[in-house]
Structure formats: C-alpha cells, structure tokens
Amino acid sequence: MNITTILDQIDLGSIALPEFQRGYVWNRDQVRGLMNSLYRKHPIGSLLVWETKTEQAIDYARGDSKLSAGTVKLLLDGQQRITSYYGIVRGKPPQFFDGNAEAFTGLYFHLEEEIFEFYAPVKMKDNPLWVNVTELMQQGVGVFIGNLLKIPELSSHLTTYINRLNKLDGIKNINLHIEEVSGEDKTVDVVVEIFNTVNSGGTKLSKGDLALAKICAQWPDARNELKARLTKWKKAGFEFRLEWLLRCINAVITGEAMFSALKDVKTTTFKDGLYKAEKAIDTLLNLISGRLGLDHNRVLGGIYAFPVMVRYLVDRGGHLSNYKERDKLLYWYVHTLLWGRYAGSTESVLTQDLHILKSEDNPLDQLITNLRQNRGDLEIKAVDFQGWGMGARFYPLLYMLTRVHQAQDWDSGIELSKNLLGKHNCLQVHHIFPKSLLYKGRYPKSEVNAIANLTFLTQETNLKVSNRHPSEYFEAFEQTQPGAIATHWIPMERSLWQIENYRDFLTARRELLAQAANKFLNSLLAGDIPEPKATDSVLEEQAESSTAVVPLAEERVLEECNVWVQEQGLPIGEWMYEIADSTGTVSTVLDLAWPNGLQSGKSQPVALIIDADQEIEEAANRLGYRYFTDIDRFKSYVIQEVLAVDFPTVDDYKQAFIAISSQLTDSHKLMLKAHYHSPAQIITATELAKAAGYEHFGGANLQYARIAELIANYLNYSPRQHDNSGKPFWSLMLASGYWKTLENPEITSQREWHWQLREQVSQALEDLSWV
C-alpha cells in the first residue's frame, strides 16, 4: 500500500493505533533519517497491523476518532514512521497522536545538497533552494518549479532541481509492505505477544502495560479512572505511578503480585477492586500521616508495602480492629521502609508477603517474623544513621521521630507534632552545625549533610539561628526554653558543640537517635503509645508545594529540574532510585533517574547525581547510565539530543543583532551585557532590572522580551507559546529559563525565574564586541 493511501486510511478511520501502544517518542534526528531513507529509496521496513472487527477495535483503539465500519487495522509496528510522515505531509499530527509535534514540524530539503534540515531562518529565508517539505507535499511541485523559473541564475541546474522536486514529491507513492494479523484466534493476549516479539529492538510493553491493555479492552475509560485517583493523591502531596496503583488493585482482587493474575478479571470486578483499593489507600495515607507524621511524598517511602497493607485492610472490611493492630501494621511498614524490603525483586517479595496473608492465622505477626529473620534483628543501630542528605533511607525516620516524639521548637517551645505543622507552617530542614562553618573547617559534603547534622525547625526559628555557631545559639535557647534543645537528640556535652569536635558530635547524636528510634518503634509494636488527638484527613487539603518540608539546596535544584523535564513533555524522573545487587541489598542510590530513558526504550538510562562520590559515578557508568553531575549540561542534553530543538545559529543571531541595533536602547544593551557577564551566564529579572536602571523586575521582563521579539521577527522564527497565555514566549530567543527557589534564608518560600543565556547568543554578542 502506498504512503498516501495509508494516510488516507488513517483519516477515514480504517487504520488506528491500539491503546497499548506507547506515545510518539522520535526526535528530529530520527525524522531526518527516515526522510533521507525514503528519498534515497532505502528500505525502511514493513508495517504490522492487526485486522479486527470495528466493534472490537472500538475497545482497543486509542483516541476518540471515528472508526470505519466493518473492519479496522490497528497499527502494531510502524507507529513512529507513519506518525512522522503523517505530520510532515498533513502539517499536523494524526488524531491518535501523543507526543512532541516539534519533532516533525518545519522540515526543509535543499535542492543542491539533497539534505533534510529543520528550519533555520537566516540560512533558509528567501532561498529558493530550501524547500518546505510539507508545502511541497500539499501543493505539488508546480509552485516550486515556478519559483525556480523566476531566477535566471538557476537555469543551468533547472532540470536537476526539477528532477529532485519530483523525486521528493514521489515519496508519497512509495509502497510499504503491510503484514496483517487476523483471525478469530487473534485475541489481545496473542496480539500483544506478537507486538513484543516484533518490537524486540524497541520498547517492550511492561507487565503493567499489558495488564492495563487487557483491562482497557473491556473498559476503555480504565486508564483515565486510574489517573484521576493518582491526581487526587498528588494534590495532597503524594505522587504515585499508575503501575503502583495497578499492583494495589491486583492485590485486592487476586491476592497476587503478578499482573498475569488479572488476565480473566471482569470489568465489574476490576471496578470494585479499584474502589476498595482507593478507600484502603486513603485510609493508609491518613494513618501514616497522622500517626507517624509522614505527610508528604519525599518522606513516605516504602510504597511497595502498600499492596500488602491494602490487601490486609480490605480483608478486614476496610477497618482495623483496634489501635494495637493498627500500630503493629505501621511498625511493619516502617521497617520495610528502613531495610528496603521491596528494593530488589519486588514481585517475588510481594508474592511471598501476599501469600502470607492468605495462609496464616496471624499474618501480621508472620510478616514481622519474616522481616526479623531476613535482617537477623530489627534493632536500629547508631551506624544506620550514617547516611547523608534527604535521599538517605533513614531521613524519613528522623522526620518521623521529630513529628511523633515531642520534639520542641527551640524558640517557641511548642511541640512540632502539633497542628500538622508540615501542612500549615512548613517545617524547614536545619543544619545544626552551619554548612559554611563546616566547609571552612574542610569537612566533606557527606559529613556536612549527614543525617545526624539535620533537624527540623519552624521557619521563624530557623531564621533566628541562621549561620550562628551551635555553641552560641544552643546556650541562648537553653536559657529561654530549657530542655528544648535536648528534645532533638542533641548531646548536651558542651565540648561536642565545637567545630573541631564535629565528628564526635555526629557519633554521639547517632547513638541518641538510635535509642529514640528503638524506643518509639518497640512501643509501637507493643501498643504502648497513647492515642493521638484526631486530626483532619491528609487528603482534605491540597499540598502547597511538592514537599511539606523546605528541602536542602541540592534537593531544590533536583526538584526544579524534574519539573522542567515534565514541562518538556517528558516523563518525570524517579527520586533516589535504588539499584539492588543480586542479594536484594541496595548497592547504589541515584539522586534522580530515568531507568527507561527520557524517551522510554529509545534512549539509554539517564541519571542526575549531584556532587556524588566516585564510587556512585563508577556504578552508574557500569550500569549503562548516561549520568550528569551538572544541571545545565543535563538540560543541554535534553534540548539538543532528546528534544532536538533547533535554535538559530551564531551567524543568524549576529545578522539579527546588526539589523535591529538601531531599535535597541541603552537599557537593552546594558541588560545583554549584564547577562553575558553574570556567573555561568545565569541571571534573574531583578538583576536585569538593576543593571538597566529599571525600578521593578517587571520592566526588565517586558524590555528583555522586546529584544527577543525583534530578533524573532527578523529571523522569522516562532518560539513556543506561554503555557498560561498562549502567546509567544519571546524571551526564549535569548535564553532558556527555569524557576529556582531563592537562597536567601529570609525568603526561602519564594521562587524567581532564572535565565540561562543561549550559547549562540553569547557567542554572537562576543563576536560583535558588544560585551
């Protein structure tokens, strides 16, 4: 079937995309490669379709487009190729599209060099040898031949150019071989198996994808219903993945961890399982938040214990018999978090634990016994608090102890467990020994950010402490709130409050933390902890930020980077991604990771590891990760390689600056100069305003956008639109931008937009001697 007919069949609803297919993931390099192969008549492979009756295809097809009557061909292999060509020929993506349309927008062909490139204004504008491929496909070669005839100096090559135009236009008539899968025996299970076989070089469907594809075949709205629950929990500060929720539902319905158990589940059964799982998860989040104080995403941890807890709760009608049973369940949960119960072979461990719920008269006791046997004992030792940073597994335990163990605010004396402070007054992470003093004392980062050097305070108290020496502010707070310092497990031996004795301080505090942790957890197991005062549901209030605790500077950078990645239409990274060895022991923790790549299955695993030691970098390299230790280099990789977004060249910018120079004011030039000379060429609107003499950052934003708009108009280049207004985001012509939380401790709750000058702009300004 020729390509034009295939596209017509898509428009008619005779060819569609099955629900279980992932979205469009190609970048511009891959699109160029496809068009080059088609132009040169190189083989690009056949297509594979599943031909099925329309009434059955309705359940499997993605999107809301109308399907043709009779039979429909669902595209199993060839989605990326056909979507790319559809976008180039039609000038828009097909109705089933899910991805980044910039990958195939603005493709041009050079009649002399016979190459494909995406639009570059100065290079291509008013140059008849550069042909807009989409316009050619839609208008035919006649218009372009007419343009060539108007230029006498091209007449000697006219025949060659016309032949190449016809060859390019003729791509529409290339025949692609189509293999068909059809017949009554071709169920969705068989088809998915075929899909994975032919797609062995690309992205295989995960087990969760397969299970959901089967569910969607009977209940097309299943995916949206599951996402609605995930959105609800995300608004409350808890971010989960769809596959995780599917595991919880599977545990409720079948009592199994393997998704294959959902094979023959009816829609009514699945809907009931979703309802019960949702209610159980709501209950557990409230219990864990209210009883343990773990009230937001970054301290929750141990989320794969949830399928077991959900099943346990549902088996008891959604209610636990008394507070002792509840606390025992929470005791087990905390230890699964601390010891990485599900960090290794998740499915096999879940299977073991879920089977205990079926076979034991006292399953909760047996779950705890199994944990104890695997660990040798469940006693927490001082050495367990040797980790550092908010990614360490014992960080949630420190937060939990602060919330439940009557730790007092040093200035006000109030207990930090009151009023759900993590929701209302936003606790802040506090370095007991200030970082600046420790770095001056030549302590390494791992010791500066050691868990034993962290505690939690209200914002007001944290501001009062600032960078003061602990021996100074400890004594001051001891006078105003006697005993409050010690409630944070601070060793009260005064000699340990000196910088030169910092390592001894860490050792002593780890001992105190271990004692407090064992006391609390053992009391939880024994049911000796008094019943807390009832609190509101954690789900009734929307979280105001991604965490309820103001994070450390390194974590803020990672959080903001993860948001930026999402804004590019790419998958969110996994926080503190644990990689276990063959024994199930966690061997490496990556700060932020995309284990399936930023284009799932199409690029290698990617990780951000900020200020990591050599051992972690070597482990990441050994495991095949492309890792970055610098945010800007990571963003450059995303833009240039993953998204393949093309901005004008240095020469383009130079010509544009010269052309618009008469329209630039002195203030405009002062802002450009300030941006060029700013550290790492990163600047805020406030700093731009100061450099140009504007009273407010709003004026700088407006005038900086004006410079960018003049450049864009000269180059005939359209940057992407603002997400909120839909208007062109002009300033992107000069710089890429991102939100960053202000470092000033007096305004840590505020963020400001930071501009990173584009390399091409920087070089153009330098070449023109404007800076």
Side-chain angles (χ1 to χ4, degrees):
M1 185 181 295
N2 68 47
I3 290 177
T4 297
T5 303
I6 292 173
L7 303 190
D8 290 341
Q9 294 282 310
I10 292 173
D11 290 336
L12 292 170
S14 298
I15 295 179
L17 196 69
E19 173 66 34
F20 55 74
Q21 276 268 36
R22 283 199 173 99
Y24 181 78
V25 297
W26 269 19
N27 58 37
R28 287 183 165 183
D29 287 336
Q30 291 166 303
V31 172
R32 276 195 294 254
L34 170 68
M35 292 301 293
N36 186 61
S37 295
L38 286 168
Y39 178 77
R40 301 183 188 284
K41 302 293 178 66
H42 295 165
I44 63 167
S46 60
L47 306 180
L48 179 67
V49 299
W50 173 26
E51 186 173 27
T52 185
K53 294 179 180 179
T54 300
E55 54 266 30
Q56 187 177 24
I58 291 174
D59 292 334
Y60 294 99
R62 174 179 290 176
D64 300 323
S65 56
K66 185 177 181 180
L67 302 180
S68 62
T71 61
V72 173
K73 294 179 174 67
L74 296 177
L75 193 60
L76 298 180
D77 186 43
Q79 178 206 167
Q80 308 299 323
R81 288 168 285 165
I82 292 302
T83 300
S84 299
Y85 196 72
Y86 187 102
I88 290 169
V89 173
R90 297 287 195 256
K92 61 181 182 180
Q95 291 185 352
F96 54 67
F97 182 75
D98 179 16
N100 181 12
E102 287 188 358
F104 49 70
T105 302
L107 185 66
Y108 278 67
F109 176 77
H110 195 267
L111 292 174
E112 181 65 39
E113 299 178 10
E114 293 185 284
I115 58 173
F116 291 92
E117 288 188 18
F118 284 89
Y119 186 62
V122 172
K123 180 192 296 185
M124 300 179 184
K125 185 180 180 182
D126 299 326
N127 186 338
L129 295 181
W130 280 108
V131 175
N132 184 309
V133 179
T134 298
E135 290 181 3
L136 175 72
M137 295 296 178
Q138 294 180 350
Q139 300 174 13
V141 299
V143 173
F144 294 89
I145 292 175
N147 292 336
L148 295 175
L149 289 171
K150 296 175 183 177
I151 307 173
E153 55 265 33
L154 298 181
S155 58
S156 60
H157 296 87
L158 189 60
T159 301
T160 299
Y161 295 155
I162 292 174
N163 289 338
R164 289 173 180 174
L165 284 170
N166 284 319
K167 185 178 178 180
L168 180 60
D169 187 54
I171 289 176
K172 293 185 292 190
N173 298 316
I174 291 177
N175 285 308
L176 299 181
H177 180 67
I178 298 181
E179 296 279 356
E180 293 187 359
V181 175
S182 60
E184 296 292 333
D185 62 322
K186 300 304 186 292
T187 63
V188 68
D189 299 296
V190 173
V191 170
V192 166
E193 185 62 34
I194 293 171
F195 172 87
N196 268 344
T197 300
V198 301
N199 200 38
S200 58
T203 305
K204 285 184 177 293
L205 295 176
S206 71
K207 296 173 183 177
D209 290 326
L210 298 181
L212 191 56
K214 295 172 185 177
I215 299 299
C216 288
Q218 303 174 41
W219 184 25
D221 288 336
R223 188 185 300 273
N224 290 333
E225 290 292 331
L226 267 61
K227 286 183 176 179
R229 274 65 174 184
L230 296 176
T231 299
K232 177 185 76 172
W233 293 319
K234 183 177 181 178
K235 289 179 178 178
F238 302 99
E239 190 159 351
F240 304 117
R241 295 176 180 270
L242 189 147
E243 189 166 318
W244 170 86
L245 176 54
L246 201 58
R247 285 199 186 277
C248 292
I249 297 170
N250 189 25
V252 169
I253 297 173
T254 70
E256 298 291 337
M258 306 294 284
F259 285 123
S260 57
L262 289 170
K263 178 180 179 181
D264 298 318
V265 168
K266 303 297 183 185
T267 300
T268 53
T269 304
F270 186 83
K271 288 182 177 180
D272 182 63
L274 170 58
Y275 173 80
K276 291 178 178 176
E278 178 187 7
K279 295 304 178 185
I281 292 168
D282 287 348
T283 298
L284 290 167
L285 290 176
N286 280 318
L287 288 180
I288 292 170
S289 183
R291 191 66 164 154
L292 302 180
L294 304 180
D295 57 1
H296 60 277
N297 198 61
R298 292 295 298 281
V299 295
L300 186 63
I303 63 171
Y304 280 100
F306 270 71
V308 178
M309 294 192 291
V310 164
R311 174 69 190 212
Y312 183 85
L313 194 59
V314 169
D315 282 346
R316 282 145 188 79
H319 304 281
L320 300 173
S321 58
N322 53 50
Y323 76 92
K324 289 189 175 183
E325 182 185 20
R326 176 202 61 199
D327 286 354
K328 187 181 289 187
L329 179 65
L330 294 177
Y331 171 87
W332 173 81
Y333 159 72
V334 171
H335 279 291
T336 65
L337 159 64
L338 296 180
W339 312 120
R341 172 67 173 165
Y342 301 104
S345 303
T346 302
E347 281 191 340
S348 61
V349 179
L350 271 176
T351 297
Q352 178 185 344
D353 290 348
L354 285 168
H355 284 183
I356 288 175
L357 301 186
K358 294 180 181 179
S359 60
E360 298 290 333
D361 293 333
N362 297 302
L364 194 48
D365 289 336
Q366 188 58 48
L367 287 172
I368 294 171
T369 298
N370 278 12
L371 264 182
R372 187 172 285 114
Q373 289 173 346
N374 291 337
R375 285 285 310 162
D377 65 64
L378 297 180
E379 181 182 0
I380 294 171
K381 300 176 176 61
V383 69
D384 295 321
F385 283 95
Q386 280 191 333
W388 61 281
M390 292 174 71
R393 186 174 289 139
F394 274 68
Y395 170 83
L397 181 58
L398 175 63
Y399 182 76
M400 181 182 71
L401 291 175
T402 303
R403 296 296 303 278
V404 303
H405 217 277
Q406 291 80 50
Q408 298 172 18
D409 184 64
W410 294 340
D411 186 49
S412 65
I414 66 169
E415 293 181 6
L416 297 180
S417 59
K418 290 186 176 179
N419 300 320
L420 281 177
L421 277 173
K423 287 288 178 190
H424 298 293
N425 292 310
C426 198
L427 296 176
Q428 291 191 346
V429 182
H430 170 68
H431 283 73
I432 299 168
F433 279 71
K435 290 191 292 183
S436 58
L437 297 181
L438 291 175
Y439 283 132
K440 191 178 295 184
R442 299 188 180 279
Y443 287 97
K445 178 176 180 177
S446 58
E447 292 184 353
V448 172
N449 286 332
I451 290 178
N453 190 36
L454 303 180
T455 194
F456 302 93
L457 299 172
T458 60
Q459 179 175 341
E460 293 78 8
T461 301
N462 202 20
L463 290 173
K464 287 187 176 182
V465 172
S466 187
N467 287 327
R468 294 162 63 191
H469 195 290
S471 62
E472 175 191 342
Y473 73 79
F474 278 170
E475 291 290 2
F477 286 128
E478 270 297 286
Q479 294 296 320
T480 57
Q481 296 292 341
I485 294 290
T487 65
H488 289 244
W489 311 282
I490 303 295
M492 299 305 290
E493 170 57 50
R494 265 54 174 181
S495 64
L496 297 179
W497 297 354
Q498 302 302 321
I499 296 293
E500 61 270 21
N501 296 328
Y502 175 62
R503 291 192 176 98
D504 293 332
F505 169 86
L506 294 179
T507 299
R509 189 165 189 250
R510 287 173 184 139
E511 289 286 351
L512 294 173
L513 287 170
Q515 293 172 17
N518 286 318
K519 179 181 179 182
F520 173 74
L521 290 174
N522 290 336
S523 298
L524 204 62
L525 176 62
D528 293 338
I529 301 177
E531 187 73 6
K533 182 180 178 181
T535 58
D536 295 333
S537 168
V538 70
L539 303 177
E540 290 179 359
E541 296 184 37
Q542 294 187 4
E544 295 182 0
S545 60
S546 59
T547 74
V549 173
V550 176
L552 302 176
E554 293 82 358
E555 277 72 25
R556 287 205 300 273
V557 168
L558 290 169
E559 284 181 353
E560 288 156 359
C561 184
N562 214 7
V563 170
W564 178 85
V565 168
Q566 286 183 283
E567 290 173 347
Q568 312 311 308
L570 297 171
I572 188 172
E574 297 192 36
W575 286 103
M576 305 307 162
Y577 184 71
E578 296 179 337
I579 298 176
D581 59 24
S582 56
T583 66
T585 302
V586 176
S587 59
T588 303
V589 179
L590 306 176
D591 292 340
L592 193 58
W594 291 263
N596 295 317
L598 281 159
Q599 290 176 308
S600 187
K602 297 295 183 181
S603 59
Q604 70 188 101
V606 177
L608 266 168
I609 42 180
I610 305 300
D611 292 334
D613 57 32
Q614 185 177 354
E615 184 178 349
I616 294 179
E617 291 186 20
E618 289 175 352
N621 185 58
R622 185 173 62 252
L623 293 164
Y625 277 80
R626 182 165 183 173
Y627 69 89
F628 297 85
T629 59
D630 179 83
I631 296 292
D632 292 330
R633 290 184 183 275
F634 169 76
K635 288 184 176 180
S636 177
Y637 159 74
V638 172
I639 292 171
Q640 302 300 331
E641 297 189 36
V642 178
L643 298 175
V645 176
D646 294 326
F647 278 90
T649 65
V650 173
D651 287 339
D652 293 341
Y653 278 108
K654 287 166 64 176
Q655 292 184 40
F657 277 126
I658 293 171
I660 69 170
S661 60
S662 63
Q663 300 178 68
L664 297 182
T665 66
D666 290 341
S667 295
H668 290 155
K669 294 177 180 178
L670 285 171
M671 285 194 291
L672 290 171
K673 188 173 183 178
H675 201 168
Y676 177 87
H677 289 288
S678 60
Q681 297 191 328
I682 298 173
I683 200 167
T684 67
T686 299
E687 291 165 337
L688 284 173
K690 182 178 180 181
Y694 296 117
E695 293 184 1
H696 190 265
F697 69 84
N701 275 333
L702 184 64
Q703 292 303 318
Y704 208 59
R706 176 57 180 162
I707 303 171
E709 183 180 2
L710 290 171
I711 292 173
N713 289 337
Y714 175 79
L715 296 176
N716 194 27
Y717 189 101
S718 297
R720 70 173 173 84
Q721 297 176 335
H722 274 285
D723 295 333
N724 53 354
S725 68
K727 296 180 180 179
F729 202 159
W730 296 117
S731 296
L732 291 178
M733 292 297 299
L734 294 172
S736 59
Y738 55 93
W739 286 108
K740 186 175 181 181
T741 304
L742 298 180
E743 297 293 338
N744 188 334
E746 296 184 4
I747 45 175
T748 50
S749 61
Q750 295 186 20
R751 301 187 305 162
E752 189 164 9
W753 190 262
H754 284 59
W755 288 112
Q756 169 74 64
L757 193 65
R758 296 199 182 281
E759 290 184 9
Q760 304 99 306
V761 177
S762 173
Q763 189 62 52
L765 292 171
E766 186 175 319
D767 290 351
L768 293 170
S769 299
W770 282 20
V771 291

